[in-house]
Amino acid sequence: MKSAVETGYHLDSVDKEIIYMLMDNAKTSLSHISKNVGISTTAVHQRIKKLEQAGVIENSISFLNPRKIGYKVVSYIGVFLDQPSHYHDAVKALKEVNEVVEAHYTTGNYTIFLKVLCRDNDHLMEILNKLQKLKGVTRTETFISLEQSINRQLKV
Amino acid sequence: MKSAVETGYHLDSVDKEIIYMLMDNAKTSLSHISKNVGISTTAVHQRIKKLEQAGVIENSISFLNPRKIGYKVVSYIGVFLDQPSHYHDAVKALKEVNEVVEAHYTTGNYTIFLKVLCRDNDHLMEILNKLQKLKGVTRTETFISLEQSINRQLKV
DNA sequence: AATGAAAACCCCTCTTT
DNA sequence: AAAGAGGGGTTTTCATT
């Protein structure tokens, strides 16, 4: 038998139904969930508390739609560093750049891999210039998203 | 004067304070926000409703922590298609693959760019095999995230 | 746009099985 | 692990400025 550390928290079908409803809308009421899954609101509440304590369900956040406030360009940027040892300094500098919403230390071609949101292509150029001036950055490679056809959370 | 279509919905400082609180925690109560920004709960409520109707604030969702249910590998995969015309068929097929959480039609090297969540490297290999069998796919290139150092929403 | 008050609803705890 | 009942807080509406 595998341990929970390896396989993760075990979700039964009721847990999954609850989680999917909350993943779709964090403000779904207990009574609504209760009617859907067929157990009392108290039971739903107990399960959610357990899932939160286990860390399976994390915080809930509201989304700001970047497009609606004028941010229309989504891009991914691969960053080459001259030395991987510059990674931590680079991340520190990247945190100061609001347009950078994700940063990963990756295997493969790049040292750091970014997701960047910009208003338009001129704005993206500005950000690219800023990135290329960071210490240790030798080169960048940019992929602009022309259309995001899938955007969702994991289904298990 | 620029139109709202170009510049987006205009957010005043109070709107921004409200949005940042909700972006941090979707369940922040109106009374808590009210105390923080210095207007009544009703006024906060009215502003949130306006922002929701304008689409600036989108749905709020709860996060499932993939790691806690055994999904420990985050990767980005660039997909080469023999013909861009196969894009829509490919997206349709990709939607059936639960592990694919983002798909973008991009400029640059790749035709399609994916974010994929897997349990482990063996699981990732399975997914890569599956992707390479899709019609029109000639080659893939994978970046595994060893560490995600930034993960946040846009700040404006 | 903002306010206070009232109504409706919801979360959460307690007790019990 | 689940259920019902009750108190306290929250959202939502309404009338007013």
Side-chain angles (χ1 to χ4, degrees), chain B residues 1 16 28 52 70 78-79 85 94 99 107 116 124 127 147:
Chain B
M1 181 182 165
K16 286 187 188 179
T28 311
E52 285 173 344
V79 177
S85 62
L94 288 168
E99 289 84 355
T107 66
V116 172
L124 175 58
I127 301 301
E147 181 190 78

Side-chain angles (χ1 to χ4, degrees), chain A residues 40 42 46-47 50:
Chain A
S40 73
T42 314
Q46 282 175 358
R47 279 172 178 264
K50 253 190 85 179

Side-chain angles (χ1 to χ4, degrees), chain A residues 26-43:
Chain A
K27 286 171 181 164
T28 313
S29 71
L30 296 181
S31 63
H32 189 209
I33 297 173
S34 160
K35 279 164 199 151
N36 235 275
V37 304
I39 59 176
S40 73
T41 57
T42 314

Side-chain angles (χ1 to χ4, degrees), chain A residues 9 11-30 32-52 56-57 155, chain B residues 27 62-64:
Chain A
Y9 189 101
L11 304 172
D12 68 15
S13 63
V14 175
D15 288 328
K16 285 187 188 177
E17 278 190 82
I18 293 173
I19 287 176
Y20 291 143
M21 291 186 83
L22 292 175
M23 279 166 68
D24 190 57
N25 177 7
K27 286 171 181 164
T28 313
S29 71
L30 296 181
H32 189 209
I33 297 173
S34 160
K35 279 164 199 151
N36 235 275
V37 304
I39 59 176
S40 73
T41 57
T42 314
V44 174
H45 184 237
Q46 282 175 358
R47 279 172 178 264
I48 292 175
K49 245 174 101 177
K50 253 190 85 179
L51 290 165
E52 284 174 344
V56 175
I57 298 177
K155 278 243 174 196
Chain B
K27 286 171 181 164
S62 293
F63 280 112
L64 170 66

